[in-house]
């Protein structure tokens, strides 16, 4: 019996599964109790005081074994719960480690992006400084160009000044307070200079109302050689004058003695007579 009991306890000890272990344990306990009861019945007849005492001890042993078995079931359940919780914690730790790794990678990428952004920002600041310096120089150049253009406007003939008036009126008197952009201001100056350049390479005739030396006014035909020299003729070739550009504006002088020559040049330009060489008075200032 001892060999069988030892074998059964060994089976319980090395059982691989908790449920199987409990079943074997329960079966072993029952077997032990049954063996003790049978042994008592056969060895101690009924009514024997010692048999009664043994029966009481057997009952106590049975109760203790049941409690011990219950304790073993509780321990087994707690072990299963602990193993399950350990597995869950292991999986959760693995998940947290993966998240930490992912966050570290994102932080590394973010740091690289920040470093790249800092480089671009530094380059943009440097470029902005260069543009600011260039803008200051550009404003100074533009202010100088506008002042020179204003002086040039005073030397232009009246017909040319009227032609560029829509542009010249937009040149600001106070550049620091104007609402025009730098591009618009440059366009105005470029438009005026372009028109002046075309006129300076051209010879054109126009009708004007000119004040004569005696204070009277007469309608004359003016001949302009670019923007530096001009002539006029009127009253059927009896009056004439010569004009030239000065810093204060155009200066006109009477040249009645050259009225015939001036009238002849105007007729040639109007295709009213054959071209020929004509001498004209010239005054340059």
């Amino acid at each position: 019996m001892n060999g069988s009991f030892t074998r059964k306890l060994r089976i319980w000890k090395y059982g691989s599964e908790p449920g199987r272990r409990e079943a074997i344990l329960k079966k072993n306990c029952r077997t032990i109790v049954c063996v003790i009861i049978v042994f008592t019945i056969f060895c101690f007849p009924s009514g024997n005081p010692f048999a009664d005492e043994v029966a009481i001890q057997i009952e106590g042993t049975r109760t203790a074994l049941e409690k011990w078995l219950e304790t073993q079931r509780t321990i087994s359940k707690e072990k299963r719960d602990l193993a399950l919780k350990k597995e869950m914690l292991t999986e959760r730790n693995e998940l947290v480690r993966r998240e930490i790794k992912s966050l570290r990678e994102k932080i590394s990428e973010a740091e690289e992006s920040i470093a790249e952004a800092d480089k671009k920002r530094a380059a943009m600041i440097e470029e902005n400084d260069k543009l600011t310096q260039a803008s200051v120089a550009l404003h100074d150049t533009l202010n100088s160009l506008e002042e020179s253009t204003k002086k040039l406007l005073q030397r232009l003939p009246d017909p040319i000044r009227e032609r560029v008036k829509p542009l010249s009126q937009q040149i600001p008197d106070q550049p620091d307070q104007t609402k025009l952009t730098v591009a618009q201001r440059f366009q105005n100056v470029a438009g005026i200079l372009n028109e002046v350049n075309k006129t300076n390479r051209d010879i054109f005739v126009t009708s004007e109302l000119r004040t004569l030396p005696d204070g009277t006014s007469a309608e004359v035909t003016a001949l302009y050689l670019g923007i530096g020299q001009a002539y006029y003729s009127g009253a059927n070739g009896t009056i004439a004058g010569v004009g030239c550009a000065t810093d204060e504006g155009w200066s006109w002088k009477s040249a009645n003695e050259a009225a015939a020559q001036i009238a002849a040049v105007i007729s040639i330009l109007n295709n009213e007579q054959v071209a020929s060489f004509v001498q004209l008075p010239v005054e340059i200032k």
Side-chain angles (χ1 to χ4, degrees):
M1 185 179 67
N2 290 337
S4 175
F5 178 70
T6 303
R7 184 176 61 83
K8 290 180 179 180
L9 286 179
R10 188 180 296 114
I11 292 174
W12 167 80
K13 180 178 180 181
Y14 296 102
S16 59
E17 298 179 1
R20 181 183 177 187
R21 222 181 278 163
E22 291 177 3
I24 294 173
L25 180 61
K26 190 173 181 180
K27 183 177 180 181
N28 290 337
C29 290
R30 289 176 180 173
T31 302
I32 292 171
V33 172
C34 290
V35 169
I36 292 173
I37 292 171
V38 171
F39 177 79
T40 302
I41 292 171
F42 282 99
C43 295
F44 299 99
S46 178
N48 192 330
F50 183 74
D52 294 338
E53 183 180 352
V54 170
I56 293 172
Q57 291 180 355
I58 290 173
E59 181 64 23
T61 303
R62 186 179 65 81
T63 303
L65 286 174
E66 289 179 354
K67 291 182 179 180
W68 181 80
L69 182 60
E70 181 66 23
T71 301
Q72 292 299 316
R73 283 198 296 267
T74 303
I75 293 173
S76 178
K77 180 178 181 300
E78 290 180 353
K79 286 183 178 180
R80 289 196 302 271
D81 294 343
L82 181 61
L84 179 60
K85 290 180 180 179
K86 183 178 179 180
E87 183 179 358
M88 292 175 63
L89 287 175
T90 302
E91 293 178 355
R92 186 172 298 177
N93 288 337
E94 182 64 25
L95 178 61
V96 171
R97 281 195 293 269
R98 288 197 298 267
E99 289 180 352
I100 291 174
K101 181 179 179 181
S102 177
L103 288 175
R104 286 177 177 172
E105 292 176 353
K106 291 180 180 179
I107 289 172
S108 178
E109 293 176 357
E111 289 176 348
E112 292 178 359
S113 299
I114 291 172
E116 186 67 21
D118 289 339
K119 290 181 182 179
K120 291 181 179 180
R121 180 174 177 272
M124 292 176 67
I125 291 175
E126 183 179 358
E127 184 68 17
N128 184 65
D129 292 339
K130 292 181 181 179
L131 291 175
T132 300
Q133 296 175 1
S135 178
V136 172
L138 195 62
H139 275 84
D140 294 340
T141 302
L142 181 56
N143 292 339
S144 177
L145 281 174
E146 288 178 338
E147 288 299 322
S148 300
T149 303
K150 288 179 181 179
K151 293 179 180 180
L152 178 62
L153 289 172
Q154 296 176 358
R155 299 178 60 90
L156 294 178
D158 290 340
I160 306 305
R161 261 198 302 223
E162 288 297 322
R163 193 181 302 173
V164 298
K165 193 172 183 179
L167 296 176
S168 63
Q169 285 179 334
Q170 297 187 46
I171 296 178
D173 296 328
Q174 297 179 340
D176 296 335
Q177 299 179 4
T178 182
K179 294 182 180 180
L180 295 176
T181 64
V182 173
Q184 291 173 329
R185 292 168 63 187
F186 265 110
Q187 288 176 354
N188 292 335
V189 172
I192 293 172
L193 296 179
N194 184 53
E195 189 63 33
V196 170
N197 184 53
K198 289 193 301 183
T199 304
N200 194 40
R201 294 179 298 174
D202 193 16
I203 298 174
F204 62 95
V205 177
T206 183
S207 296
E208 296 180 357
L209 187 63
R210 184 65 51 197
T211 301
L212 303 179
D214 58 3
T216 61
S217 297
E219 185 176 357
V220 298
T221 301
L223 168 66
Y224 287 92
L225 305 178
I227 61 173
Q229 191 73 41
Y231 305 91
Y232 71 82
S233 175
N236 296 324
T238 58
I239 60 174
V242 179
C244 64
T246 66
D247 293 337
E248 291 77 21
W250 271 74
S251 174
W252 293 92
K253 290 185 178 180
S254 177
N256 294 335
E257 67 280 2
Q261 292 90 332
I262 294 172
V265 172
I266 293 173
S267 296
I268 292 172
L269 288 174
N270 290 332
N271 294 322
E272 295 175 353
Q273 68 179 55
V274 180
S276 61
F277 288 102
V278 180
Q279 291 184 354
L280 297 175
V282 177
E283 184 176 354
I284 300 175
K285 291 186 181 182

